[in-house]
Amino acid sequence: MAEVAYRSNASRIADEERDVRVEDYLNDKLQNTTDLANIDSLLEDVKAQQVLLQQQLQEAKRTLDENTKVSVAHSNDLHQRARQFQSQQNDVDRRLMIVTQSETSDDAVRKFDSSMEGLRKLDVAQEYMELLAEVENLSAGARRNFKKSPRDALQPYLRLQTLVNALKDAQPAAEDAAPHLIDHVDRTARTLWRQMKDAFAGEFEATLRKMQWPGRDITLDGQLEREWTGGVRKLLELQEPELKAKDSRTADSTKGEEPLVLLPLEVMTKPLELRFKYHFESDRPTNKLDKPEYFLSHVISLLNTYDEFFAMYLQPILREYFRSSNLALTSIYIDSTSALITALLPMLRRKIFALMPQISQQPQLLSHLIHELMTFDVSLRDEWNYDGGNAIEGWKGLTWEVLVKKDWFGRWLEVEKNFALSRYQNIIDAPESGEIDYDSVDPGATKPTYAAIRVNDLLETITDRYRPLTSFSQKLRFLIDIQITLFDRFHSRFHDSLEAYLARTSSIARTVQGVSRETQAELQGLGGLERLCRIYGSAEYLEKKMRDWSDDVFFLDLWDELQDRARRSTGKNLAGPMSVEDVAERTSSTVGSEEDSGALFDETAGAYRRLRVRTEGVIQDMLIYSLRESLRPYGRINPWSSLSVESNSSLSLTAELDATVQQSNDYLSFLSKVLAQAPLRRIVRQVALAIQTFLWDHVLMRYTFSASGIAQFQRDVEVVWETMDRWLGEGQGETGMRRLKEGLVLLGLPVKSEEGEENGDEDVGLGLWEVERRVFRNNESGREVLDELGLEVLSESEARHVLERRIELGH
């Protein structure tokens, strides 16, 4: 009953919902009485929609029936296949139990897997035995043939070596399986190779004895040349697998591998090596720790002696053999000279590597050896065109092997740094180090101290010490740890000297520290000026040198490589423990940026430039202070309104100004010797302005002047100008005091009668009265008259103040 009621209730709700939708539809379509005319068309549309919906419903039912049939068929198929699989599984389990005589299927599977594993091991063992038999047959065949027919012996050996290489290449994919087998085959191949090599080398040595090798002026002809050529070719053919393996490693230079020594050259260099050991690895006088140049020059001598022979007889064989072998080898093997150098280098390595521990605690010997090694490396690269098998980057050299591969760079850098610091200290401690050197630079240049010149020479010597290095990191660390460190120390020395001078000459020092008058006079006089010029000249000299260094090809290349590495840096250190930020702090702030400007010595040169500019300012202040003090007595006298008249030719310098003129002459005489014209004129220009300001404020604007007073004042100022002109050039004194000069022109205007001025007497020019009237009339009139007088610096107000100083116009 409840279900019937539920269905009845659901049907009622559905009917109500349908009625609501119908009502909504009719309300939408029949909104007014005019819409009733369209009721027929509305009924037709409804019927058409009903037909369409009926068709769609029938199609959906048909599709559902088809899908239901397919699903039932697929389910039946799956059940059928599952039953078949279970039947097959039961059959397999039954068979396994019968075959393995087991009671359960799990026991049967374990026994079956064990049997299969045994079969697999048997197959592997059989393959092992077959491989071992093949190896033994190849080895035996080669041994049978290499004495009577060396060429026939090479074929089984080459096959054996191919097996070795194939096994080694396949081992990583096999998870390093069967290492004992690979080791056995490899040892068999190496043993056979040594036996064949000894046999071929013995025959070749017999030929060399007939040639009287290693004698001088050896010539080959006829049968002897054929024996020589055959011996060389057999040894090259024996080495061919090794050369092919080397040839396949295209990046061998990046792995630090050394080029192979060709077997013919290995045999030929044995007597040369015995001679080398006799002279340089025994108790012979030629074996000296402090003379590495002996054994290095000996190797160069061997090259000079035998290079022609190898070029004549060995070069054609190498060229022909390697062209026909299809090996893409570099010139290190094809060029006979490079091949000879490669053969001689091992005995040098043995000697050098044994020597390093003996001299590592003897700085002089260690430094000398590294220097000689770099010279030797440069000789092989530049004179003998040796590239070590790396035509792109070039041969890194024995120095690189010692410093990088054997890790002696840190010890050598420490030794060189200690030597540099010791020589630097000797320069500083020399009695004349602080004196100015007048002869080492051009006459017109600023003069540095002896210490600055010698420190620069020391730093240039250090550059020459590490210039041949091939390692970027080593060159950069040498630059920063030694050169820039010395630059910084020297800068600190001058900076401290300047600070000490300022501390002793400051007003606080004079009042608090109790600096004596004698000390003050010494610091403010020529002694103090010379002290400041030492700092200035040395700072300018080293700043210019650093700019010159930045343009040197060596430092330009180093800078370009630094920028390239810094821009590609992923956080790794650039030079030893130094990061990009550390290097930028010591060299240039543009390191790692995209800017094209910058140089290695930007930071250091900038420090010296700031020291130079600051010292120049201190020199100006010192001169201004000293000259102002000497001018004070002159500013306190007042003879300017005297009515006595003397001719200008008989006027002498005012006594109170004599000290200033003498002091100026002494200062300028000294500065003209130690400074270039540009800084000298900059300094004197500021001094001239200071003197002008004093004379303007304390004399011209303070007192009134008669004609005689004006003449005397003009004479005094002219003497000051003449003193400056004597050391700076004609007219420099007046140029530095243009305002004072124009003030004197205006102050010294002649007094003419007012009637004469009104009549326009042009013969005598403008007079005092007319100028006075026009200047005081207004600014426009004043500017016009000043322009007529040629006065460009004075303003109208200043001109009025000057005119008021005339005794005639003072009331």
Side-chain angles (χ1 to χ4, degrees), residues 437-649:
D437 187 350
Y438 293 93
D439 302 323
S440 296
V441 294
D442 295 336
T446 300
K447 307 302 185 293
T449 59
Y450 285 101
I453 292 176
R454 292 171 183 173
V455 166
N456 179 72
D457 293 342
L458 169 62
L459 294 171
E460 288 183 348
T461 301
I462 293 172
T463 302
D464 293 335
R465 298 286 289 180
Y466 75 92
R467 188 185 294 268
L469 292 175
T470 58
S471 168
F472 163 79
S473 177
Q474 291 176 3
K475 288 187 284 191
L476 190 60
R477 289 190 60 189
F478 228 100
L479 170 75
I480 293 175
D481 290 4
I482 299 181
Q483 288 181 295
I484 292 182
T485 296
L486 289 182
F487 270 131
D488 291 345
R489 287 198 178 195
F490 204 47
H491 175 271
S492 297
R493 178 180 178 83
F494 282 121
H495 179 269
D496 294 343
S497 179
L498 181 60
E499 292 294 335
Y501 174 86
L502 293 173
R504 297 180 69 184
T505 56
S506 65
S507 57
I508 296 178
R510 292 193 292 269
T511 57
V512 178
Q513 298 181 9
V515 179
S516 64
R517 289 183 175 273
E518 292 76 11
T519 302
Q520 284 291 319
E522 179 183 350
L523 293 175
Q524 292 295 343
L526 282 175
L529 184 60
E530 181 178 1
R531 182 173 181 175
L532 292 173
C533 287
R534 293 173 185 174
I535 300 173
Y536 180 88
S538 298
E540 183 190 77
Y541 178 78
L542 291 177
E543 180 193 354
K544 288 182 177 179
K545 286 298 181 180
M546 278 182 274
R547 300 301 183 197
D548 294 341
W549 287 12
S550 296
D551 294 332
D552 184 272
V553 174
F554 172 72
F555 291 111
L556 284 174
D557 291 341
L558 190 60
W559 169 254
D560 290 340
E561 188 169 0
L562 171 62
Q563 281 289 65
D564 182 60
R565 292 187 178 218
R567 289 165 181 166
R568 294 185 288 106
S569 176
T570 57
K572 297 181 180 179
N573 294 338
L574 284 181
M578 301 187 72
S579 64
V580 174
E581 292 75 15
D582 296 331
V583 173
E585 183 181 356
R586 300 298 301 277
T587 56
S588 173
S589 59
T590 60
V591 169
S593 69
E594 297 300 325
E595 297 182 23
D596 293 331
S597 60
L600 285 172
F601 299 96
D602 279 354
E603 294 297 322
T604 309
Y608 275 87
R609 182 180 62 257
R610 292 189 292 271
L611 177 64
R612 171 181 60 80
V613 172
R614 187 181 179 198
T615 305
E616 183 176 318
V618 175
I619 293 174
Q620 293 173 6
D621 294 343
M622 175 263 176
L623 293 174
I624 291 171
Y625 175 82
S626 181
L627 291 173
R628 284 175 64 90
E629 288 297 310
S630 68
L631 282 170
R632 290 189 186 280
Y634 185 74
R636 289 194 289 266
I637 64 172
N638 185 16
W640 315 117
S641 58
S642 171
L643 299 178
S644 62
V645 179
E646 299 182 19
S647 63
N648 289 342
S649 60

Side-chain angles (χ1 to χ4, degrees), residues 131 134-135 138 158-168 185:
L131 180 60
E134 183 179 3
V135 169
L138 291 173
L158 294 177
R159 168 60 183 160
L160 181 59
Q161 189 61 49
T162 302
L163 283 176
V164 173
N165 295 334
L167 288 172
K168 288 182 178 180
V185 177

